[in-house]
Amino acid sequence: MNYDKIMKLALERGFFFPSGEVYADSTAGFWEYGPTGVSFKNKFIELWRRELVRKDRMMEIDGSQIMSQSVFEASGHLSSFADPIVKCQKCKSTYRADKLVAEIVKIEVPESIDTSEIDKIISEKNVVCPKCKGDFESTRRFNMMFKVGIGPESENAFLRPETCQSIFIDFPRLFKTMRGKLPIGIAQIGKSFRNEISPRQSLLRLREFYQAEIEVFCNPNKLNELDKFSAVENTELNLFINGNIQTVSCKKAIDENILPNKLVAYYLGLLAEFYQKTGIDMKKTRFRKLGEKEKAFYATAAFDFEVETSIGWLELVACNYRSDFDLKGHSNKSKEKFEVLDQDDKVLPHVFELSMGIDRSLYSILEHNFHEDEKNDRTFLSLKPYLSPIHVGVLSLVKKDGLAEKTNEIFSQIRIKYDAFLDHSGTIGRRYRRLDEIGTPLAITIDHQTLQDKTVTVRIRDSMNQERIKISEIDSFVAEATAFP
RNA sequence: GCGGAGUUAGUCCAGACUGGCAGGACGUCAGCUUCCCAAGCUGAAGGCCGCGGGUUCAAAUCCCGCACUCCGCACCA
């Protein structure tokens, strides 16, 4: 299975690996990026910045990872980001208490129900463990946020479960000082933390993970007044709604009322254009409209951008229309004003968010670009050159006759500007294979002819073809081949 | 959390049943072959056999606990 092959590649070639693996008490759900992975991740982030932040003239911030209790009281995470769970006394099976009770007793159970209410229903209706008929322990709430104690008095605070809360909180200051005008996107990249009960599958379900979040603040009365919509009107979206998949342009999605408004369609379009450029196979992607029960507690409309991998459909981006849920919550709690002027209207902006999982995206790109080339006895990653961890290998055909020295010299000329990798050892074919495995698009080889006429060969990863260029042309050649689109 | 299967070199795996020197392949490194696609030859490094405890003269091997990984279940704003 390709998942296993990607994992092996990741471990062997420095993409990512488990955190703290030399210690037996290292816990699941924490992974680290190695040199190859960091280089790849940095380039992915740069592409995100270019295609979303810069293209749409967003603001980018970098907020705290630890935030006080009030933040999460206002955001709803303290009460709603916790599931009521019950545990069987006998067989120790754990269940979602509200769901279990709803199913067995056939009654509606509100998500915010008090745990004592659930216990009452359980004892009154004699609800027992479906597996072993055992009795339950008392219902308790399992909050997925990591709690931390600040200072000597251990004041309550939490590691953020999503990066966006600081965007909401910072919004009034940013809007005023940075001369904001609706609609405006505020973006942030950083780590978020969730105490998953059962993390699985390496980068796909982590307890500590990277998010790239964009919160678009807008006037809810002007969701169809968006001049820039014309930029994406021909961009195609794979929309998966109520079990039907259809590929339509953004324009058609609006004209036929498939999407609720131009603002939503515009950002889904931008997102699709971004992923196109990551090298993900867009034929294996879809925007799935979430049903009422699947949506997050703050969302009024939600689309998940999903990608098909060897282990099934994977959610990469949650696109939620959060209405004024967050700004209203923070406004009530903090007594600060979050309304802003939009021309002459005083409005509490609504928010549409694009909440991207970076780690999952990186995995998906690797899997969609992984190839086993049996004819040439190699595996390679067909990564976009601008995302490749190494842009160019610099190799000496043989070490002697002054070729090694010349190779070092050429490497020194380009190694600051590009991610270049110097390699003298082993046979040339093996060195090309190694570069192929991490998706290096170019390899420059210095041979005997180099010393005579100041030319080198450039070997292209995908075709394995070679051409000869002048040393003086290396810079412009590599620059062009590895430029962002 | 539950059930099942696993964990031995960077990777994949043998050895375990029947306790007795820690092995193989690939990879890595150095050298040779004057060499443009994983060739060959020579040599080398790399392991507290997941962690902790127990039984034993002796434990990778038997027993107990824990952690992690994978597969199901449950969970996953």
Short mmCIF file of all heavy atoms in Angstrom, two decimals, chain B residues 6 10 25 32 34 43 48 66:
data_model
loop_
_atom_site.label_atom_id
_atom_site.label_comp_id
_atom_site.label_asym_id
_atom_site.label_seq_id
_atom_site.Cartn_x
_atom_site.Cartn_y
_atom_site.Cartn_z
P G B 6 1.75 -12.01 16.32
OP1 G B 6 2.25 -13.32 15.87
OP2 G B 6 1.69 -11.68 17.77
"O5'" G B 6 2.57 -10.89 15.56
"C5'" G B 6 3.68 -10.28 16.18
"C4'" G B 6 3.93 -8.95 15.52
"O4'" G B 6 2.80 -8.08 15.79
"C3'" G B 6 5.13 -8.22 16.07
"O3'" G B 6 6.29 -8.59 15.38
"C2'" G B 6 4.77 -6.76 15.88
"O2'" G B 6 5.03 -6.35 14.54
"C1'" G B 6 3.26 -6.79 16.09
N9 G B 6 2.87 -6.47 17.46
C8 G B 6 2.19 -7.28 18.35
N7 G B 6 1.96 -6.70 19.50
C5 G B 6 2.51 -5.43 19.35
C6 G B 6 2.56 -4.34 20.26
O6 G B 6 2.11 -4.28 21.40
N1 G B 6 3.21 -3.25 19.71
C2 G B 6 3.74 -3.19 18.45
N2 G B 6 4.33 -2.06 18.10
N3 G B 6 3.70 -4.20 17.60
C4 G B 6 3.06 -5.27 18.11
P G B 10 19.77 1.75 13.43
OP1 G B 10 20.99 2.49 13.77
OP2 G B 10 18.72 1.53 14.44
"O5'" G B 10 19.10 2.43 12.15
"C5'" G B 10 18.56 3.76 12.20
"C4'" G B 10 18.11 4.11 10.80
"O4'" G B 10 19.27 4.10 9.95
"C3'" G B 10 17.16 3.09 10.19
"O3'" G B 10 15.81 3.41 10.50
"C2'" G B 10 17.46 3.20 8.71
"O2'" G B 10 16.81 4.32 8.15
"C1'" G B 10 18.96 3.46 8.72
N9 G B 10 19.79 2.24 8.64
C8 G B 10 20.75 1.87 9.55
N7 G B 10 21.34 0.74 9.24
C5 G B 10 20.75 0.35 8.06
C6 G B 10 20.99 -0.78 7.26
O6 G B 10 21.81 -1.70 7.44
N1 G B 10 20.16 -0.81 6.14
C2 G B 10 19.22 0.14 5.85
N2 G B 10 18.52 -0.06 4.75
N3 G B 10 18.98 1.22 6.60
C4 G B 10 19.77 1.26 7.67
P A B 25 24.37 -10.85 3.44
OP1 A B 25 25.20 -11.44 2.37
OP2 A B 25 24.96 -9.84 4.35
"O5'" A B 25 23.07 -10.20 2.79
"C5'" A B 25 22.35 -10.91 1.78
"C4'" A B 25 21.09 -10.14 1.42
"O4'" A B 25 20.24 -10.04 2.60
"C3'" A B 25 21.32 -8.69 1.00
"O3'" A B 25 21.67 -8.57 -0.35
"C2'" A B 25 19.96 -8.08 1.30
"O2'" A B 25 19.00 -8.42 0.32
"C1'" A B 25 19.59 -8.78 2.61
N9 A B 25 20.05 -8.03 3.79
C8 A B 25 21.21 -8.19 4.50
N7 A B 25 21.33 -7.35 5.51
C5 A B 25 20.18 -6.59 5.45
C6 A B 25 19.70 -5.53 6.23
N6 A B 25 20.36 -5.04 7.28
N1 A B 25 18.51 -4.98 5.89
C2 A B 25 17.86 -5.47 4.83
N3 A B 25 18.20 -6.47 4.02
C4 A B 25 19.38 -6.99 4.38
P C B 32 40.93 5.11 -4.68
OP1 C B 32 42.19 5.76 -5.08
OP2 C B 32 39.64 5.81 -4.88
"O5'" C B 32 40.83 3.69 -5.40
"C5'" C B 32 41.92 2.79 -5.35
"C4'" C B 32 41.56 1.50 -6.05
"O4'" C B 32 40.43 0.87 -5.37
"C3'" C B 32 41.06 1.66 -7.48
"O3'" C B 32 42.12 1.83 -8.40
"C2'" C B 32 40.31 0.35 -7.68
"O2'" C B 32 41.19 -0.73 -7.92
"C1'" C B 32 39.65 0.16 -6.32
N1 C B 32 38.27 0.69 -6.29
C2 C B 32 37.25 -0.11 -6.86
O2 C B 32 37.55 -1.20 -7.35
N3 C B 32 35.98 0.35 -6.85
C4 C B 32 35.69 1.54 -6.31
N4 C B 32 34.44 1.93 -6.32
C5 C B 32 36.72 2.36 -5.73
C6 C B 32 37.98 1.90 -5.75
P U B 34 40.05 1.83 -15.00
OP1 U B 34 40.38 1.21 -16.31
OP2 U B 34 40.91 2.86 -14.36
"O5'" U B 34 38.61 2.47 -15.07
"C5'" U B 34 38.25 3.29 -16.16
"C4'" U B 34 38.08 4.74 -15.73
"O4'" U B 34 39.23 5.16 -14.94
"C3'" U B 34 38.05 5.72 -16.90
"O3'" U B 34 36.75 5.87 -17.42
"C2'" U B 34 38.53 7.01 -16.25
"O2'" U B 34 37.52 7.64 -15.52
"C1'" U B 34 39.59 6.48 -15.29
N1 U B 34 40.92 6.45 -15.94
C2 U B 34 41.66 7.61 -15.96
O2 U B 34 41.27 8.65 -15.48
N3 U B 34 42.89 7.51 -16.59
C4 U B 34 43.43 6.40 -17.18
O4 U B 34 44.54 6.46 -17.70
C5 U B 34 42.61 5.24 -17.12
C6 U B 34 41.41 5.30 -16.53
P G B 43 37.31 -8.58 1.97
OP1 G B 43 38.09 -9.60 2.71
OP2 G B 43 35.95 -8.88 1.51
"O5'" G B 43 37.25 -7.25 2.84
"C5'" G B 43 38.38 -6.85 3.59
"C4'" G B 43 38.24 -5.42 4.03
"O4'" G B 43 37.82 -4.59 2.93
"C3'" G B 43 37.21 -5.11 5.09
"O3'" G B 43 37.59 -5.52 6.39
"C2'" G B 43 37.11 -3.60 4.96
"O2'" G B 43 38.25 -2.96 5.50
"C1'" G B 43 37.15 -3.44 3.44
N9 G B 43 35.78 -3.37 2.90
C8 G B 43 35.09 -4.32 2.18
N7 G B 43 33.88 -3.93 1.87
C5 G B 43 33.76 -2.66 2.43
C6 G B 43 32.69 -1.73 2.43
O6 G B 43 31.57 -1.86 1.92
N1 G B 43 33.00 -0.57 3.12
C2 G B 43 34.20 -0.32 3.72
N2 G B 43 34.33 0.86 4.35
N3 G B 43 35.22 -1.17 3.73
C4 G B 43 34.93 -2.30 3.07
P C B 48 21.51 -0.05 21.13
OP1 C B 48 20.40 0.88 21.13
OP2 C B 48 22.89 0.47 21.16
"O5'" C B 48 21.32 -1.05 22.38
"C5'" C B 48 22.38 -1.80 22.85
"C4'" C B 48 21.81 -2.93 23.70
"O4'" C B 48 22.38 -2.85 25.02
"C3'" C B 48 20.30 -2.80 23.86
"O3'" C B 48 19.60 -4.03 23.67
"C2'" C B 48 20.09 -2.31 25.28
"O2'" C B 48 18.93 -2.85 25.90
"C1'" C B 48 21.36 -2.83 25.99
N1 C B 48 21.73 -1.90 27.06
C2 C B 48 20.99 -1.93 28.25
O2 C B 48 20.08 -2.76 28.36
N3 C B 48 21.28 -1.06 29.23
C4 C B 48 22.27 -0.19 29.07
N4 C B 48 22.51 0.65 30.07
C5 C B 48 23.05 -0.11 27.88
C6 C B 48 22.74 -0.97 26.91
P C B 66 -0.61 -2.93 32.02
OP1 C B 66 -1.83 -2.23 32.47
OP2 C B 66 -0.69 -3.99 31.00
"O5'" C B 66 0.43 -1.84 31.51
"C5'" C B 66 0.74 -0.70 32.31
"C4'" C B 66 1.94 0.02 31.76
"O4'" C B 66 3.06 -0.89 31.68
"C3'" C B 66 1.81 0.54 30.33
"O3'" C B 66 1.10 1.75 30.25
"C2'" C B 66 3.27 0.71 29.94
"O2'" C B 66 3.84 1.86 30.54
"C1'" C B 66 3.90 -0.53 30.60
N1 C B 66 3.98 -1.66 29.65
C2 C B 66 5.02 -1.65 28.70
O2 C B 66 5.81 -0.70 28.70
N3 C B 66 5.11 -2.67 27.81
C4 C B 66 4.23 -3.66 27.84
N4 C B 66 4.38 -4.63 26.94
C5 C B 66 3.16 -3.70 28.78
C6 C B 66 3.07 -2.68 29.66
#
